[in-house]
Amino acid sequence: METMVMMAGMDLPIRAIREQVASAVDLIVHQTRFKDGSRRVTHLTEVERMEGDIITLQDVFVFDNSAGFDENGRILGRLRSTGLRPKFLEKLAYANVAVDPTIFRTERI
């Protein structure tokens, strides 16, 4: 996003661009293509705040592929909670979006 702003000819300092991005984006959804050709969402990451010139991020869910591959070579796994509750839940509640807090529990195996 920083690069797109800079390519648009906006003469803004990089810190100002990052502050705007950090205040506008709550969640990043990261998708990965695995060697079997499938694409899976592998990270749901919260954009937290600025610390100096750096935007801090926090993973909320991460894809666990410890099960490996099935007999046909397809990736096995699923998203697992990191146990951290995102701070943007307050914004969702304000918009009347209910989120069950139990989805953020880590599972004991």
Side-chain angles (χ1 to χ4, degrees):
M1 293 177 100
E2 291 173 19
T3 304
M4 288 191 298
V5 171
M6 291 187 296
M7 288 174 59
M10 304 291 290
D11 193 25
L12 293 171
I14 194 72
R15 180 173 173 87
I17 297 169
R18 288 181 180 171
E19 285 175 350
Q20 289 181 358
V21 169
S23 68
V25 177
D26 291 318
L27 185 70
I28 298 170
V29 179
H30 183 85
Q31 177 179 292
T32 300
R33 183 173 183 184
F34 288 95
K35 68 180 183 178
D36 67 351
S38 67
R39 289 181 174 90
R40 303 283 173 91
V41 172
T42 56
H43 292 79
L44 294 172
T45 304
E46 178 181 26
V47 178
E48 284 196 312
R49 64 186 175 281
M50 291 285 296
E51 284 186 11
D53 287 342
I54 306 297
I55 299 173
T56 59
L57 307 173
Q58 168 179 282
D59 286 335
V60 179
F61 290 92
V62 178
F63 188 76
D64 175 15
N65 64 338
S66 60
F69 296 86
D70 69 8
E71 62 277 355
N72 297 319
R74 291 186 296 239
I75 189 81
L76 299 173
R78 64 189 194 104
L79 285 173
R80 294 202 186 263
S81 174
T82 60
L84 302 171
R85 291 183 59 178
K87 294 172 182 61
F88 64 83
L89 286 179
E90 295 171 4
K91 289 182 184 179
L92 291 176
Y94 183 75
N96 292 324
V97 177
V99 177
D100 182 2
T102 62
I103 67 169
F104 301 109
R105 288 191 301 200
T106 56
E107 297 175 16
R108 306 279 185 235
I109 299 176

